[in-house]
């Protein structure tokens, strides 16, 4: 089985909706890194050294490659990434190898059989 790693930078208030959307498309789990800070085209505004930007979460999802594009698109829709430059970003990268996922393979095989 081959995997992709989807990485999404999202507003923390949208994390739950985005994860639910990813699960409906076949994601079996995720890792959330809270309180990340990022900058886009414009620098973040501060007041007395404190950031005025909303906190971000970084979502890491290890997904089977055949499900990756559908999951990525569901993340985009749930996060409304295309509606504004500041909504978030998500991308996928190839994973050469992974361990610790054997318990998920049975569930993934059933999902893939239904999809294919």
């Amino acid at each position: 089985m081959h995997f992709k790693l989807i990485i999404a930078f999202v507003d923390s208030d949208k994390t739950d909706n985005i994860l639910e959307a990813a699960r409906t498309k076949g994601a079996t789990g995720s890792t959330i890194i809270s309180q990340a800070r990022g900058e886009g085209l414009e620098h973040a505004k501060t007041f007395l050294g404190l950031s005025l930007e909303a906190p971000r979460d970084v979502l890491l999802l290890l997904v089977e490659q055949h499900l990756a594009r559908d999951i990525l698109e569901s993340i985009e829709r749930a996060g409304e990434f295309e509606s504004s430059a500041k909504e978030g970003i998500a991308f996928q990268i190839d994973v050469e190898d992974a361990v610790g996922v054997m318990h998920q393979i049975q569930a993934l095989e059933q999902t893939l059989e239904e999809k294919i």
Side-chain angles (χ1 to χ4, degrees):
M1 206 167 268
H2 300 302
F3 294 96
K4 300 273 188 177
L5 177 64
I6 296 178
I7 303 170
F9 299 89
V10 305
D11 285 336
S12 60
D13 62 340
K14 293 185 176 184
T15 297
D16 291 337
N17 289 340
I18 289 170
L19 290 175
E20 183 61 34
R23 281 191 176 277
T24 63
K25 293 296 183 177
T28 56
S30 65
T31 297
I32 302 167
I33 302 171
S34 297
Q35 301 295 319
R37 194 186 98 192
E39 288 190 11
L41 292 174
E42 300 174 15
H43 294 289
K45 293 182 171 66
T46 62
F47 179 74
L48 299 175
L50 300 173
S51 175
L52 300 177
E53 299 293 320
R56 297 261 183 192
D57 288 341
V58 179
L59 311 180
L60 306 173
L61 299 101
L62 188 64
V63 302
E64 207 285 326
Q65 71 176 353
H66 292 95
L67 303 174
R69 184 63 195 183
D70 284 344
I71 293 170
L72 187 65
E73 289 174 358
S74 72
I75 289 170
E76 183 277 320
R77 284 189 300 273
E80 301 173 318
F81 292 174
E82 298 299 336
S83 67
S84 168
K86 296 183 179 183
E87 291 301 319
I89 185 172
F91 54 92
Q92 65 181 3
I93 58 176
D94 289 324
V95 173
E96 185 174 327
D97 203 358
V99 296
V101 294
M102 289 301 294
H103 60 282
Q104 295 183 18
I105 289 180
Q106 188 176 25
L108 287 170
E109 286 175 345
Q110 183 178 9
T111 301
L112 286 174
E113 286 175 7
E114 293 170 3
K115 183 175 173 78
I116 297 174

